[in-house]
């Protein structure tokens, strides 16, 4: 179950706040920070998309980043 994994909209504000220091952050650093921010368990972090190619949380962080980038 992925009920505790936040949707990409819920990730957007914490992601913006993380990036407001205007430093470069790797995708992995960002995902680690956000996983801790949302207090995700290892089990939640390891849940995969139905395709089995990517974790649900990593995917949602990617979508949050894409929407914020598009919004400028």
């Amino acid at each position: 179950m992925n009920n505790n994994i936040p949707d990409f909209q819920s990730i957007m504000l914490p992601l913006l706040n993380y990036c407001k220091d205007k430093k470069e952050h790797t995708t992995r650093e960002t995902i680690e920070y956000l996983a801790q921010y949302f207090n995700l368990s290892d089990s939640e972090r390891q849940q995969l998309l139905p395709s089995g190619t990517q974790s649900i949380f990593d995917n949602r962080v990617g979508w949050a980043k894409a929407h914020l980038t598009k919004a400028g």
Side-chain angles (χ1 to χ4, degrees), residues 6-51:
D7 57 27
F8 79 89
Q9 295 97 329
S10 299
I11 295 170
M12 292 169 80
L13 183 58
L15 176 56
L16 271 175
N17 286 331
Y18 180 66
C19 295
K20 72 181 178 183
D21 64 7
K22 300 191 183 207
K23 296 179 181 177
E24 286 192 28
H25 301 280
T26 67
T27 300
R28 185 54 40 203
E29 288 171 340
T30 303
I31 289 169
E32 292 300 322
Y33 168 81
L34 291 167
Q36 289 179 13
Y37 176 89
F38 287 105
N39 199 29
L40 296 181
S41 68
D42 289 339
S43 163
E44 291 166 331
R45 295 199 52 207
Q46 293 170 3
Q47 290 180 36
L48 299 177
L49 294 169
S51 65

